[in-house]
Amino acid sequence: MFSAFGRGSPSLEPDDVSMMQTLVKNHCLTNAIDPDSEEARDAARELLKWFQGGVTDMSRLQELLASHT
């Protein structure tokens, strides 16, 4: 049913959701982005894409997010 994500995609656990929320919140604070903005939602989508692509390390995700802006 969710084959679009690929068979090897990591599952999104509650701790992963919390980690990504923290990353987006910190990204917004660091870059003076409104957390309710489209830019913040775009950052969250990118994080999810990277996570589903196999990047699950918080430090690496933070680096990718910083380079995304």
Side-chain angles (χ1 to χ4, degrees), residues 24-34 39 65-66 69:
V24 171
K25 178 182 175 185
N26 290 343
H27 176 72
C28 289
L29 287 171
T30 300
N31 296 288
I33 298 169
D34 179 355
E39 190 174 355
L65 191 57
T69 49

Side-chain angles (χ1 to χ4, degrees), residues 17-57:
V17 173
S18 178
M19 173 185 64
M20 286 195 251
Q21 287 173 329
T22 298
L23 286 168
V24 171
K25 178 182 175 185
N26 290 343
H27 176 72
C28 289
L29 287 171
T30 300
N31 296 288
I33 298 169
D34 179 355
D36 294 322
S37 70
E38 187 60 33
E39 190 174 355
R41 287 186 287 280
D42 182 48
R45 284 190 291 272
E46 286 298 311
L47 279 176
L48 184 58
K49 180 179 77 174
W50 294 322
F51 186 89
Q52 290 174 330
V55 181
T56 58
D57 178 70

